[in-house]
Amino acid sequence: MRDDFAIFILTHGRAGNVKTIPKVLEKSNYTGKYYIVIDNEDDQADEYYRLYGDKVFMFDKAAVAKTFDAMDQSEDRRMIVYARNYCFDLAEQLGLKYFLEFDDDYNSLDYRWTDGKRLYTTKVRQMDKLCELMIEWLEVSGAQAVCFAQGGDFIGGVKGGNYSKKVLRKAMNTFFFKTENRLTFTGRQNEDVVTYVTEGNRGKLFMTITDVNIVPTATQNNKGGCSDVYLEQGTYVKSFYAVMASPQAVCVDVLNSGHARIHHKVDWERCAPKILNERWKR
Protein backbone atom coordinates (compact mmCIF):
# COMPACT_ATOMS: atom_id res chain seq x y z
CA MET A 1 0.00 0.00 0.00
CA ARG A 2 1.28 3.50 -0.86
CA ASP A 3 3.09 5.36 1.93
CA ASP A 4 1.32 8.73 1.54
CA PHE A 5 -2.12 7.36 2.47
CA ALA A 6 -3.74 6.29 5.73
CA ILE A 7 -7.12 5.34 7.12
CA PHE A 8 -8.38 7.33 10.11
CA ILE A 9 -10.87 5.47 12.32
CA LEU A 10 -12.97 8.03 14.19
CA THR A 11 -14.16 6.67 17.51
CA HIS A 12 -15.50 7.64 20.92
CA GLY A 13 -16.38 5.50 23.93
CA ARG A 14 -15.76 2.19 22.19
CA ALA A 15 -12.17 1.34 23.09
CA GLY A 16 -12.94 -2.36 23.37
CA ASN A 17 -15.33 -2.45 20.43
CA VAL A 18 -13.69 -0.86 17.38
CA LYS A 19 -15.32 -3.31 14.97
CA THR A 20 -13.85 -1.73 11.84
CA ILE A 21 -10.35 -3.09 12.49
CA PRO A 22 -11.06 -6.84 12.68
CA LYS A 23 -14.16 -6.91 10.49
CA VAL A 24 -12.98 -4.67 7.66
CA LEU A 25 -9.26 -3.89 7.71
CA GLU A 26 -8.11 -7.36 8.69
CA LYS A 27 -10.66 -9.36 6.72
CA SER A 28 -10.03 -7.32 3.57
CA ASN A 29 -6.24 -7.81 3.95
CA TYR A 30 -5.44 -4.11 4.24
CA THR A 31 -1.67 -3.62 4.72
CA GLY A 32 -1.42 0.18 4.83
CA LYS A 33 -1.32 2.72 7.62
CA TYR A 34 -4.26 3.28 9.92
CA TYR A 35 -4.75 5.42 13.02
CA ILE A 36 -7.32 5.73 15.81
CA VAL A 37 -8.69 9.27 16.28
CA ILE A 38 -10.16 10.11 19.70
CA ASP A 39 -11.02 13.33 21.53
CA ASN A 40 -9.91 14.65 24.90
CA GLU A 41 -13.44 14.29 26.32
CA ASP A 42 -13.42 10.50 25.97
CA ASP A 43 -13.26 8.78 29.38
CA GLN A 44 -11.91 5.63 27.69
CA ALA A 45 -8.80 7.36 26.38
CA ASP A 46 -6.42 5.37 28.58
CA GLU A 47 -7.90 2.12 27.30
CA TYR A 48 -7.48 3.24 23.69
CA TYR A 49 -3.79 3.96 24.34
CA ARG A 50 -3.38 0.61 26.11
CA LEU A 51 -4.91 -1.30 23.20
CA TYR A 52 -3.55 0.65 20.22
CA GLY A 53 -0.47 2.50 21.51
CA ASP A 54 1.08 4.98 19.10
CA LYS A 55 -1.70 4.48 16.57
CA VAL A 56 -3.91 6.70 18.75
CA PHE A 57 -4.13 10.45 18.14
CA MET A 58 -6.11 12.70 20.48
CA PHE A 59 -7.45 16.16 19.62
CA ASP A 60 -8.87 19.05 21.66
CA LYS A 61 -12.60 18.94 21.00
CA ALA A 62 -13.39 22.39 22.41
CA ALA A 63 -10.65 23.94 20.27
CA VAL A 64 -11.96 22.32 17.08
CA ALA A 65 -15.48 23.48 17.99
CA LYS A 66 -14.34 27.09 17.48
CA THR A 67 -13.34 26.45 13.85
CA PHE A 68 -16.71 25.64 12.23
CA ASP A 69 -20.43 26.47 12.31
CA ALA A 70 -22.36 23.93 14.39
CA MET A 71 -25.66 25.53 13.21
CA ASP A 72 -27.18 25.58 16.70
CA GLN A 73 -26.66 26.95 20.20
CA SER A 74 -26.06 23.62 21.93
CA GLU A 75 -22.93 22.92 23.97
CA ASP A 76 -23.34 19.16 23.52
CA ARG A 77 -20.27 17.84 21.69
CA ARG A 78 -21.16 14.16 21.50
CA MET A 79 -20.96 14.08 17.69
CA ILE A 80 -18.43 13.08 15.02
CA VAL A 81 -18.13 16.40 13.15
CA TYR A 82 -15.26 17.56 15.38
CA ALA A 83 -13.17 14.53 14.50
CA ARG A 84 -14.00 14.85 10.80
CA ASN A 85 -12.58 18.37 10.70
CA TYR A 86 -9.52 17.51 12.80
CA CYS A 87 -8.47 14.80 10.34
CA PHE A 88 -7.20 17.39 7.85
CA ASP A 89 -4.83 18.75 10.51
CA LEU A 90 -3.72 15.23 11.40
CA ALA A 91 -3.09 14.32 7.75
CA GLU A 92 -0.88 17.41 7.36
CA GLN A 93 0.94 16.56 10.60
CA LEU A 94 1.66 13.03 9.34
CA GLY A 95 2.71 14.20 5.87
CA LEU A 96 -0.08 12.32 4.10
CA LYS A 97 -1.25 13.23 0.61
CA TYR A 98 -4.51 11.29 0.89
CA PHE A 99 -6.60 9.83 3.69
CA LEU A 100 -9.84 7.92 4.25
CA GLU A 101 -12.21 8.60 7.14
CA PHE A 102 -13.87 5.51 8.58
CA ASP A 103 -16.32 5.17 11.47
CA ASP A 104 -15.55 2.57 14.14
CA ASP A 105 -18.64 0.37 13.77
CA TYR A 106 -18.36 -1.36 10.38
CA ASN A 107 -19.23 -5.02 10.12
CA SER A 108 -18.25 -5.61 6.50
CA LEU A 109 -16.92 -4.10 3.27
CA ASP A 110 -18.55 -5.70 0.24
CA TYR A 111 -18.55 -5.61 -3.54
CA ARG A 112 -22.04 -5.45 -5.04
CA TRP A 113 -22.96 -7.24 -8.27
CA THR A 114 -26.10 -8.35 -10.05
CA ASP A 115 -27.35 -10.97 -12.48
CA GLY A 116 -29.94 -8.49 -13.68
CA LYS A 117 -32.61 -9.72 -11.29
CA ARG A 118 -30.99 -9.70 -7.84
CA LEU A 119 -28.22 -7.85 -6.03
CA TYR A 120 -25.46 -9.97 -4.51
CA THR A 121 -22.51 -9.29 -2.21
CA THR A 122 -18.94 -10.53 -2.19
CA LYS A 123 -16.44 -9.62 0.53
CA VAL A 124 -13.60 -7.27 -0.39
CA ARG A 125 -10.33 -9.21 -0.06
CA GLN A 126 -7.89 -6.80 -1.72
CA MET A 127 -8.50 -3.51 0.04
CA ASP A 128 -5.09 -2.09 -0.87
CA LYS A 129 -5.97 -2.25 -4.55
CA LEU A 130 -9.44 -0.87 -3.89
CA CYS A 131 -8.01 2.14 -2.04
CA GLU A 132 -5.55 2.78 -4.89
CA LEU A 133 -8.44 2.81 -7.37
CA MET A 134 -10.51 5.16 -5.20
CA ILE A 135 -7.56 7.57 -4.96
CA GLU A 136 -7.15 7.44 -8.74
CA TRP A 137 -10.86 8.22 -9.12
CA LEU A 138 -10.53 11.13 -6.68
CA GLU A 139 -7.71 12.59 -8.77
CA VAL A 140 -9.19 11.99 -12.23
CA SER A 141 -12.65 13.29 -11.29
CA GLY A 142 -11.46 16.38 -9.45
CA ALA A 143 -14.02 15.57 -6.74
CA GLN A 144 -13.86 17.02 -3.25
CA ALA A 145 -14.54 13.55 -1.88
CA VAL A 146 -15.40 10.05 -3.13
CA CYS A 147 -17.11 7.43 -0.98
CA PHE A 148 -18.34 3.87 -0.69
CA ALA A 149 -22.09 3.26 -0.73
CA GLN A 150 -24.11 2.18 2.30
CA GLY A 151 -26.60 -0.63 2.60
CA GLY A 152 -29.51 1.83 2.62
CA ASP A 153 -28.56 2.94 -0.89
CA PHE A 154 -29.79 -0.41 -2.17
CA ILE A 155 -33.27 -0.47 -0.68
CA GLY A 156 -35.47 -2.13 -3.30
CA GLY A 157 -32.61 -4.16 -4.74
CA VAL A 158 -32.18 -3.98 -8.52
CA LYS A 159 -35.57 -2.32 -8.84
CA GLY A 160 -34.50 0.39 -6.41
CA GLY A 161 -32.42 1.83 -9.22
CA ASN A 162 -29.35 3.10 -7.37
CA TYR A 163 -27.03 0.24 -8.24
CA SER A 164 -27.45 0.76 -11.98
CA LYS A 165 -26.55 4.46 -11.63
CA LYS A 166 -23.00 3.37 -10.63
CA VAL A 167 -22.29 6.84 -9.23
CA LEU A 168 -24.45 8.80 -6.78
CA ARG A 169 -24.03 12.51 -6.02
CA LYS A 170 -24.25 11.97 -2.25
CA ALA A 171 -21.31 11.43 0.11
CA MET A 172 -21.74 9.87 3.53
CA ASN A 173 -19.91 7.91 6.20
CA THR A 174 -16.71 7.02 4.32
CA PHE A 175 -14.65 9.79 2.76
CA PHE A 176 -11.54 9.66 0.59
CA PHE A 177 -9.88 13.09 0.70
CA LYS A 178 -6.84 14.77 -0.78
CA THR A 179 -5.19 16.57 2.12
CA GLU A 180 -4.49 19.81 0.26
CA ASN A 181 -8.15 20.11 -0.80
CA ARG A 182 -9.27 21.10 2.66
CA LEU A 183 -12.95 20.88 3.51
CA THR A 184 -14.76 22.12 6.62
CA PHE A 185 -17.73 20.05 7.74
CA THR A 186 -20.60 22.04 9.24
CA GLY A 187 -23.58 21.12 11.38
CA ARG A 188 -23.45 19.42 14.76
CA GLN A 189 -25.62 16.57 13.47
CA ASN A 190 -25.96 15.07 9.99
CA GLU A 191 -22.70 16.82 9.12
CA ASP A 192 -22.05 14.68 6.05
CA VAL A 193 -25.37 15.54 4.39
CA VAL A 194 -25.17 19.19 5.47
CA THR A 195 -21.72 19.46 3.93
CA TYR A 196 -22.35 17.75 0.61
CA VAL A 197 -25.55 19.72 -0.05
CA THR A 198 -23.98 23.03 1.02
CA GLU A 199 -20.82 22.49 -0.99
CA GLY A 200 -22.86 20.94 -3.79
CA ASN A 201 -24.76 24.23 -4.05
CA ARG A 202 -21.38 25.89 -4.64
CA GLY A 203 -20.37 23.52 -7.42
CA LYS A 204 -18.16 21.13 -5.45
CA LEU A 205 -18.36 17.51 -6.57
CA PHE A 206 -19.06 14.64 -4.16
CA MET A 207 -19.58 11.09 -5.41
CA THR A 208 -20.43 7.63 -4.12
CA ILE A 209 -19.62 4.44 -6.01
CA THR A 210 -22.34 1.78 -6.01
CA ASP A 211 -20.06 -1.18 -6.75
CA VAL A 212 -18.80 -1.23 -3.15
CA ASN A 213 -20.65 -0.72 0.10
CA ILE A 214 -19.86 -0.52 3.77
CA VAL A 215 -22.09 -2.28 6.30
CA PRO A 216 -22.29 -0.35 9.59
CA THR A 217 -23.97 -1.44 12.80
CA ALA A 218 -27.51 -0.02 13.09
CA THR A 219 -27.11 3.54 14.38
CA GLN A 220 -29.09 3.20 17.59
CA ASN A 221 -28.06 -0.39 18.41
CA ASN A 222 -24.40 0.23 19.26
CA LYS A 223 -23.48 1.82 22.60
CA GLY A 224 -21.07 4.76 22.44
CA GLY A 225 -20.23 7.01 19.50
CA CYS A 226 -23.21 9.22 18.56
CA SER A 227 -25.81 6.63 19.52
CA ASP A 228 -26.75 8.26 22.84
CA VAL A 229 -27.69 11.50 21.09
CA TYR A 230 -29.78 9.69 18.47
CA LEU A 231 -31.55 7.68 21.16
CA GLU A 232 -32.39 10.89 23.05
CA GLN A 233 -33.55 12.87 20.02
CA GLY A 234 -34.36 10.29 17.35
CA THR A 235 -33.61 11.17 13.73
CA TYR A 236 -36.14 14.02 13.64
CA VAL A 237 -33.79 16.72 14.92
CA LYS A 238 -30.83 15.29 13.00
CA SER A 239 -32.65 15.45 9.67
CA PHE A 240 -33.50 19.14 9.98
CA TYR A 241 -29.87 20.29 9.94
CA ALA A 242 -29.72 19.56 6.20
CA VAL A 243 -33.01 21.39 5.69
CA MET A 244 -31.56 24.46 7.41
CA ALA A 245 -28.44 24.25 5.24
CA SER A 246 -30.26 23.94 1.91
CA PRO A 247 -34.02 24.51 2.27
CA GLN A 248 -34.57 24.82 -1.48
CA ALA A 249 -33.25 21.29 -2.04
CA VAL A 250 -33.81 19.26 1.14
CA CYS A 251 -36.98 18.25 2.94
CA VAL A 252 -37.85 15.80 5.68
CA ASP A 253 -39.53 12.56 4.61
CA VAL A 254 -40.24 9.06 5.92
CA LEU A 255 -37.70 6.35 5.09
CA ASN A 256 -38.90 2.76 5.14
CA SER A 257 -36.03 0.34 5.71
CA GLY A 258 -37.52 -2.35 7.90
CA HIS A 259 -39.25 0.27 10.04
CA ALA A 260 -40.41 3.78 9.17
CA ARG A 261 -38.27 6.68 10.41
CA ILE A 262 -37.83 10.36 9.72
CA HIS A 263 -35.03 11.05 7.25
CA HIS A 264 -33.78 13.78 4.94
CA LYS A 265 -34.60 13.77 1.23
CA VAL A 266 -32.45 15.65 -1.30
CA ASP A 267 -33.87 16.98 -4.56
CA TRP A 268 -30.81 17.04 -6.80
CA GLU A 269 -32.61 19.08 -9.45
CA ARG A 270 -32.45 21.96 -6.95
CA CYS A 271 -29.21 21.14 -5.17
CA ALA A 272 -26.29 21.23 -7.60
CA PRO A 273 -25.34 23.39 -10.61
CA LYS A 274 -25.67 21.78 -14.03
CA ILE A 275 -23.81 22.07 -17.32
CA LEU A 276 -26.16 23.45 -19.97
CA ASN A 277 -26.28 21.95 -23.44
CA GLU A 278 -24.60 24.12 -26.07
CA ARG A 279 -27.90 24.44 -27.92
CA TRP A 280 -28.88 27.09 -25.34
CA LYS A 281 -25.87 29.22 -26.23
CA ARG A 282 -26.70 32.70 -27.58
Side-chain angles (χ1 to χ4, degrees):
M1 188 64 212
R2 59 191 302 157
D3 194 50
D4 59 356
F5 168 80
I7 296 174
F8 295 148
I9 300 174
L10 316 185
T11 182
H12 180 99
R14 293 173 178 161
N17 192 30
V18 183
K19 297 181 179 181
T20 300
I21 295 175
K23 294 193 175 184
V24 173
L25 301 193
E26 293 177 3
K27 286 190 176 181
S28 65
N29 300 304
Y30 177 70
T31 66
K33 300 174 182 176
Y34 73 89
Y35 300 100
I36 309 294
V37 178
I38 65 173
D39 62 79
N40 62 343
E41 298 177 4
D42 194 328
D43 59 11
Q44 295 186 22
D46 289 343
E47 184 66 2
Y48 277 109
Y49 282 115
R50 186 187 72 81
L51 292 170
Y52 301 107
D54 59 6
K55 287 188 177 295
V56 179
F57 285 87
M58 178 188 285
F59 69 94
D60 185 331
K61 211 169 192 179
V64 173
K66 297 176 182 178
T67 66
F68 71 95
D69 182 5
M71 299 176 61
D72 61 28
Q73 300 298 313
S74 174
E75 295 298 323
D76 189 342
R77 294 193 287 264
R78 292 176 297 167
M79 301 304 295
I80 198 172
V81 62
Y82 309 92
R84 291 214 186 283
N85 285 326
Y86 166 69
C87 282
F88 282 90
D89 293 330
L90 180 56
E92 290 179 356
Q93 175 186 331
L94 296 173
L96 301 174
K97 188 174 182 179
Y98 308 96
F99 63 94
L100 166 60
E101 292 187 2
F102 261 176
D103 289 356
D104 61 2
D105 61 348
Y106 300 148
N107 290 309
S108 182
L109 180 63
D110 302 331
Y111 290 115
R112 302 306 298 258
W113 59 281
T114 178
D115 61 2
K117 297 180 180 179
R118 294 183 59 187
L119 269 175
Y120 298 92
T121 63
T122 302
K123 301 298 182 187
V124 171
R125 299 299 184 193
Q126 298 183 39
M127 191 173 177
D128 290 2
K129 182 63 175 177
L130 177 59
C131 289
E132 292 278 6
L133 292 171
M134 292 294 284
I135 291 169
E136 182 180 351
W137 184 33
L138 181 67
E139 283 285 5
V140 170
S141 66
Q144 185 74 48
V146 294
C147 308
F148 298 134
Q150 301 174 96
D153 294 322
F154 304 108
I155 292 174
V158 172
K159 292 182 179 179
N162 274 341
Y163 176 78
S164 62
K165 293 177 182 177
K166 293 303 180 182
V167 174
L168 307 177
R169 290 295 302 270
K170 61 180 290 190
M172 297 177 67
N173 211 272
T174 63
F175 294 89
F176 283 85
F177 286 119
K178 189 173 183 178
T179 306
E180 65 181 31
N181 293 340
R182 193 174 185 105
L183 167 72
T184 299
F185 285 89
T186 56
R188 191 180 310 277
Q189 296 191 45
N190 222 17
E191 81 296 328
D192 42 14
V193 181
V194 170
T195 301
Y196 76 67
V197 297
T198 302
E199 296 297 322
N201 290 169
R202 299 166 179 164
K204 296 292 181 66
L205 183 60
F206 294 79
M207 296 189 292
T208 287
I209 188 171
T210 63
D211 285 315
V212 182
N213 82 270
I214 203 75
V215 182
T217 303
T219 303
Q220 298 181 25
N221 292 339
N222 195 20
K223 187 176 181 180
C226 304
S227 294
D228 293 341
V229 178
Y230 296 146
L231 286 169
E232 291 169 13
Q233 301 179 357
T235 56
Y236 182 82
V237 173
K238 171 186 174 183
S239 298
F240 268 97
Y241 281 79
V243 177
M244 289 192 292
S246 193
Q248 88 289 354
V250 186
C251 66
V252 170
D253 202 351
V254 177
L255 176 68
N256 286 291
S257 55
H259 61 279
R261 62 188 177 97
I262 297 296
H263 201 260
H264 63 268
K265 182 178 181 181
V266 180
D267 181 352
W268 282 101
E269 291 297 313
R270 294 171 171 81
C271 186
K274 300 177 177 62
I275 299 174
L276 294 178
N277 191 294
E278 287 188 359
R279 71 175 180 269
W280 302 113
K281 183 178 180 180
R282 292 184 178 179

